[in-house]
Amino acid sequence: MSEGSANVTYSFRRTRAPRSTATELVRLSNGEEAALPPPSIPAGKVPRVTRLLALAHKFADMLARGEVASMADLARAGRVTRARLSQIMDLVLLAPDIQDEIMSFERVTSGRDPVTMKEVQVVLRSAFWPHQRATWRQTLELRRTRASPGTASV
């Protein structure tokens, strides 16, 4: 060790607090504790359709691995109807590029989500990916024209 350098030991301890206010404490070699700043949480919320698509993929993986026996078991565990679970699971039938776009939606800080589940269900009426893509583009364009200020309705 070079002259003038000090040996510093760190140990971490998480204080028990509500999720949003938990702090990381660092114990320095001299016995003092210092609080680390909390991790930054991005502003806004993840769009609902994005969360549901991620959930659908998680459920599909659970079914494939045999962690749950059936979609009915998933519905019971999630306290939703089998029909609602089917709506959620149908999201994995979207064209891969549409799924990628949904998963890359920005967080919503104000206003409405980029698309609603009802709009996505219209896209899902067709299992043929080229039809889904055409309907998806129409849905997004319709959303854009509704959101644009100053557009005249006829």
Side-chain angles (χ1 to χ4, degrees), residues 28-49:
L28 304 174
S29 60
N30 63 3
E32 293 180 27
E33 287 185 344
L36 294 176
S40 64
I41 298 171
K45 64 181 181 74
V46 175
R48 183 171 184 78
V49 172

Side-chain angles (χ1 to χ4, degrees), residues 6 11 32 36 54-55 57 72 74-76 88 90-91 98-99 101-102 105 126 130 135 141 143 145:
S11 65
E32 293 180 27
L36 294 176
L55 188 63
H57 278 284
L74 278 172
R76 274 191 294 278
I88 294 167
D90 283 349
L91 292 172
I98 296 173
Q99 291 187 41
E101 192 169 347
I102 290 172
F105 281 155
S126 173
T135 306
E141 187 57 36
R143 270 281 179 143
T145 58

Side-chain angles (χ1 to χ4, degrees), residues 50 53 57 91 94-106 133 136:
T50 303
L53 178 58
H57 278 284
L91 292 172
L94 284 167
D97 51 315
I98 296 173
Q99 291 187 41
D100 287 343
E101 192 169 347
I102 290 172
M103 293 305 291
S104 64
F105 281 155
E106 302 265 331
R133 290 180 181 111
W136 179 250

Side-chain angles (χ1 to χ4, degrees), residues 43-70:
K45 64 181 181 74
V46 175
R48 183 171 184 78
V49 172
T50 303
R51 291 191 316 255
L52 291 173
L53 178 58
L55 188 63
H57 278 284
K58 179 178 179 165
F59 287 166
D61 288 343
M62 290 172 70
L63 285 164
R65 287 193 307 262
E67 291 178 27
V68 289
S70 66

